[in-house]
Structures are given as C-alpha cells and as structure tokens.
Amino acid sequence: MLAAIITLQTQENASQNLIIQRPPSGLSLQGRISIPGDKSISHRALMLGAIAEGETEIQGLLLGEDPRSTAHCFQALGAEISELNTQLVRVKGIGLGNFQEPMDVLNAGNSGTTIRLMLGLLASHPGRFFTVTGDDSLRSRPMSRVVKPLQQMSAEIWGRKGNTLAPLAVQGQALKPIHYHSPIASAQVKSCILLAGLNTEGKTTVTEPALSRDHSERMLKAFGAELSIDPETNSVTVTGNAKLYGQKVVVPGDISSAAFWLVAGSIVPGSELVVENVGVNPTRTGILEALAMMGADIQLENQREVAGEPVADVRVRSSQLKSCTIAGDIIPRLIDEIPILAVAATFAEGTTIIRDAAELRVKESDRITAMAQQLNKMGAKVTELPDGMEIVGGTALVGAEVDSHTDHRIGMSLAIAALNANGTTTIHRAEAAAISYPNFTSTLVEVCR
Ligand code: SPQ
C-alpha cells in the first residue's frame, strides 16, 4: 500500500499550508506513538511551582505555545523558570502572595487557561497592579465568567465591554471568601476561584453543575493546600492563607492529543496504533466512552498511576463506527475532543447528535461553526445546532481547501479527516497546531509511512 504524501508549505506571511494527498488505493496507519505532555497539567505545574516555596521539578512538560505563554507570564511575576524542555524544567517559586509588579503587560497569547487561572492569583495580590492581554482570539473570549465571581470576592478588575474582555487591568486586593455556584462546568472558572482563595483568609468554595477536569484539585493537594471535595454536590473548598511547597511533577501525555490518533486509527481501514503514556484521568476520558459507544476497538494497556494521575497505553484498531448521541454530563469530560469526534461521526453509520456543548462557541474559535463549515467543504453533512451538531455519517469525503480558523484543534481534526478523503486536502493556517501539539505533522508522516 502506498503512503500518503504530506507536505508543509510556509507562506510569505509565515502561515503554513498542510497538504495531505491520500493515495487512490487508500492507506493504513501503523505504529507506536508518543504524544506531548498534557496541556492542562503543564500550565498548572508551572503556576503552582511559581507560587510555591522551594523548587518544583517538572518532567514531560508540553513545549507548546500555550505553556510557553504561562512560563513568560510567571517569569515576569518573579518566578525563576529554567529553559523549557521535556526532560526537566526547574521552577524556583517565590511563595504565595509575593508576585512582583511586572514592568509590562502580561501576555497570555492564545491561552484561555493562562489568562483565567492567572487572574485569580493576580486579583488576590494586594497592593500590586497588573495588566493582562492575549492574541486576537483570546481578546474576544468571555472573561466575565471569572471576572464576576472575582468581583463578588471584592476584586477590582477593569476591561473592555463592561469588564468582560481582555485587555484587563487588575488592582490586587485582600479578597473575601465566597461560595460560588458556577452556572457552567468549567475547570478554568473553578481553578481561578480556588487559586484566588489560596491567598484569601477563610474558606472559598466552588460548586459546579457537572464535574469538570480536576487537575487543579489533585495538584493543589500534592503541593500542600488544604482542600476538601464533596463529590455529591461537585463542590471544592480551599482554605486560605495556604502554604504551598515545591514538588516533583510528572506530566502524562495529553488525552486531547491522543484523541486525534484514536479517531484516525478507528476510521482508516486496516490501521493499528498504540498511543503511549496517555493520561486517563476519569474527568478527561469522555472521548474513550464516546468512541466505545460508537463501537470503536480501543483497549487500555499497562494501566498505572504516575505522580497522582492515572496513565495507560491505548491501542486502537480500525472498525466500522456507528452513530451515537453525546450530551449531558459527559460533555465537560470531552469538550476539547468534540471537533475530532465530529470527524469520527462523518465516517459512522447513522446520524450522530451532539448537544449541551454551546461552550464550543467560545473556544479558540467557534468550534461548532468551524467544524460544520470545513467538514461540509469536504462533502460531509454537518448541521449546526445552537449547542452542538447533527452529523449524518457515511458520506465519502473528498479533498478540499479548508481552514483551521487559527484553532489548533480544528486544524488537526481536519488533517485526520483528510486521511480518509479521496484526493488532496489543503489545510490553511495549519501552524495553529503548535499551541498544543508542535510535532503533530511529523507524527502524521510517521504513522502514514
Ligand atoms: O486554554 P484554552 O485556550 O481555553 O484551551 C482549551 C483547548 O482546547 O485547548 C479550550 F479551548 O482547553 C481548555 C478546556 O476547554 C483547557 C481547560 C483547563 O486546562 O482548565 C479547561 C477547559 O476549558 P473550560 O472553559 O471548560 O474550563
């Protein structure tokens, strides 16, 4: 069987086109894949390392652009962070409450996690003034979800459109603790409030409507924070005036990055892939459950626990997928995988319905519109719903000119769709992958060999 021809073309404006030409006879994907470190855990390791006392050692950090933005911001706030690499990054913490006032604007780049979590820490640093911003995408993403609860804690934050959009200015204050009932299941909202609660006298509680990823809770406990969790009500309470101590963190592979290969291995006939060292924290494994509902042939091997997070190697063999409905409490556990699940659904028998996922409209792009528009250019039958998509599966895709909307997850999802499309697909602005998966194209070439 011939391999796909995969080319990366850099344009004059530095943007990249990823061109994928599938051989007419089709292809099959084979191999063992190592994936980059988990983005959510990488951010949190850098942040908690920066506010802890003593040294934190991080193994397996994601070298994507988002964690780089976090590292730059926390260096500007006074933490010493060694050169970023996957082997070992050392963070010399400055201790809670000790941020220096940065000389310049803190730039979170494309990263919602960086700006929202950092806001909780900045707002609770009395006597210091901070300004935060990000790229075009981040400056259009809603910040009211964290600004409002922080204001209830008496934070002083100003910004465009009634303090809802970055750039934001923050005058740090001694905050008061609250019990916040979040209207959305969001790990960024939960983490922001918990981080603000660390330097606030008393007990701060967040209750969310469904459980979102719990990496902050796990890592805060490991760093020495006093935290109590009520799983019955999805509530977490942090005790203020905390003292955190530097730790050794081992970052597992990112299941959100593994998801591209799990879908690729499922939909490309004759494929067998093993994705190594995948973080399988139950608050992140909605993708495995959704693919199981679709009849995917996926097995977890060598299950183990590494530095407080469950990890496994995941084997996938191709199979005929069938449609399913994805909605309700599973959504926060697979929210970032919905673009690639939409690709899986185009190759499934029957009509897949995705609901309760309106949050997708305020990610790095409007991921509902982006996936519907771009997959339809390839011949798919995707209809937008206000809070999801209806995807009629089983239509053969054809190569087309598509666009990432400068969103990493959209660009990579389209590349996987291209592996099963007749002819040639060009993905414009494919460089977006570097946000969470800098080696995506080289791994794509490897598995197609
Ligand atoms: O950090 P950012 O830009 O918000 O990244 C995304 C992603 O797809 O990589 C979302 F666009 O992941 C979020 C995720 O959707 C990362 C995250 C976290 O680390 O806490 C939580 C989720 O967001 P939310 O809004 O549901 O809390």
Side-chain angles (χ1 to χ4, degrees):
M1 207 172 266
L2 293 171
I5 301 173
I6 297 171
T7 325
L8 202 54
Q9 275 179 354
T10 303
Q11 310 297 294
E12 267 175 24
N13 63 3
S15 130
Q16 289 183 327
N17 288 344
L18 175 59
I19 304 165
I20 300 175
Q21 192 181 348
R22 195 187 76 144
S25 56
L27 68 145
S28 75
L29 312 177
Q30 307 293 331
R32 292 186 77 86
I33 300 174
S34 58
I35 47 168
D38 186 279
K39 180 160 78 70
S40 295
I41 297 176
S42 295
H43 284 303
R44 286 156 172 83
L46 290 166
M47 290 186 192
L48 296 197
I51 59 170
E53 288 174 20
E55 195 168 270
T56 287
E57 291 183 356
I58 310 171
Q59 279 175 38
L61 188 88
L62 165 66
L63 300 185
E65 286 173 19
D66 274 8
R68 288 188 192 280
S69 296
T70 293
H72 287 144
C73 289
F74 282 79
Q75 280 167 333
L77 291 163
E80 278 177 41
I81 302 176
S82 67
E83 199 194 320
L84 300 191
N85 62 63
T86 54
Q87 278 81 44
L88 184 63
V89 175
R90 289 181 201 279
V91 183
K92 213 165 155 199
I94 48 176
L96 192 61
N98 292 330
F99 281 159
Q100 68 185 30
E101 197 172 61
M103 296 281 285
D104 206 343
V105 177
L106 295 164
N107 193 336
N110 191 245
S111 174
T113 309
T114 306
I115 196 166
R116 294 194 178 117
L117 270 58
M118 186 167 63
L119 276 166
L121 291 169
L122 301 179
S124 54
H125 266 70
R128 265 69 120 223
F129 183 78
F130 311 93
T131 45
V132 294
T133 193
D135 68 7
D136 290 355
S137 154
L138 194 59
R139 280 185 276 110
S140 64
R141 290 176 68 184
M143 293 301 140
S144 45
R145 56 185 56 206
V146 291
V147 170
K148 273 194 186 150
L150 288 173
Q151 284 172 334
Q152 284 176 27
M153 296 177 82
S154 23
E156 291 192 12
I157 303 173
W158 302 269
R160 292 183 300 126
K161 298 254 161 78
N163 311 325
T164 64
L165 293 178
L168 294 166
V170 183
Q171 176 63 61
Q173 298 292 328
L175 301 184
K176 57 175 207 268
I178 57 167
H179 183 161
Y180 186 62
H181 293 268
S182 178
I184 45 172
S186 159
Q188 293 178 356
V189 172
K190 174 173 63 178
S191 306
C192 167
I193 305 308
L194 293 175
L195 292 177
L198 283 177
N199 203 28
T200 297
E201 200 163 335
K203 288 183 190 291
T204 297
T205 303
V206 185
T207 298
E208 52 182 351
L211 185 60
S212 64
R213 64 193 69 188
D214 68 355
H215 305 300
S216 294
E217 294 92 303
R218 286 173 187 251
M219 208 182 284
L220 278 166
K221 272 189 184 165
F223 274 71
E226 202 184 310
L227 214 71
S228 64
I229 296 170
D230 179 359
E232 297 278 297
T233 58
N234 292 324
S235 300
V236 192
T237 300
V238 67
T239 303
N241 294 336
K243 267 206 185 308
L244 304 185
Y245 300 97
Q247 298 296 316
K248 286 188 174 31
V249 180
V250 184
V251 183
D254 198 328
I255 191 165
S256 298
S257 299
F260 300 110
W261 309 118
L262 299 182
V263 171
S266 295
I267 63 173
V268 177
S271 299
E272 179 165 359
L273 297 170
V274 178
V275 191
E276 295 173 338
N277 189 35
V278 182
V280 287
N281 176 319
T283 61
R284 297 286 297 282
T285 47
I287 175 73
L288 300 179
E289 290 162 46
L291 286 172
M293 278 194 277
M294 299 175 87
D297 180 354
I298 290 178
Q299 274 139 30
L300 265 54
E301 297 173 355
N302 192 14
Q303 294 191 50
R304 58 225 187 250
E305 182 150 322
V306 180
E309 290 277 351
V311 173
D313 301 331
V314 185
R315 183 180 296 273
V316 58
R317 295 185 186 90
S318 59
S319 55
Q320 176 56 58
L321 299 182
K322 57 181 195 295
S323 62
C324 71
T325 297
I326 304 168
D329 284 2
I330 195 173
I331 294 292
R333 297 190 294 113
L334 51 62
I335 187 75
D336 296 340
E337 290 69 72
I338 292 177
I340 189 64
L341 274 171
V343 172
T346 63
F347 294 102
E349 276 167 5
T351 300
T352 295
I353 309 283
I354 300 170
R355 304 278 343 211
D356 304 322
E359 275 292 300
L360 290 174
R361 295 210 181 267
V362 290
K363 297 293 183 186
E364 286 85 323
S365 68
D366 177 339
R367 288 179 172 167
I368 295 176
T369 297
M371 284 313 291
Q373 276 179 1
Q374 303 306 315
L375 282 176
N376 287 347
K377 284 186 195 167
M378 300 174 79
K381 290 187 183 149
V382 184
T383 308
E384 284 189 45
L385 304 174
D387 61 346
M389 287 173 249
E390 184 182 286
I391 302 156
V392 179
T395 331
L397 296 196
V398 284
E401 302 262 335
V402 292
D403 180 52
S404 76
H405 291 227
T406 70
D407 183 332
H408 51 135
R409 304 213 188 275
I410 303 298
M412 291 187 278
S413 297
L414 295 170
I416 301 303
L419 294 178
N420 232 12
N422 289 321
T424 303
T425 301
T426 302
I427 299 137
H428 294 270
R429 300 194 284 180
E431 70 281 0
I435 291 293
S436 62
Y437 203 154
N439 296 334
F440 176 76
T441 305
S442 53
T443 302
L444 188 67
V445 171
E446 258 171 52
V447 296
C448 286
R449 217 174 262 153

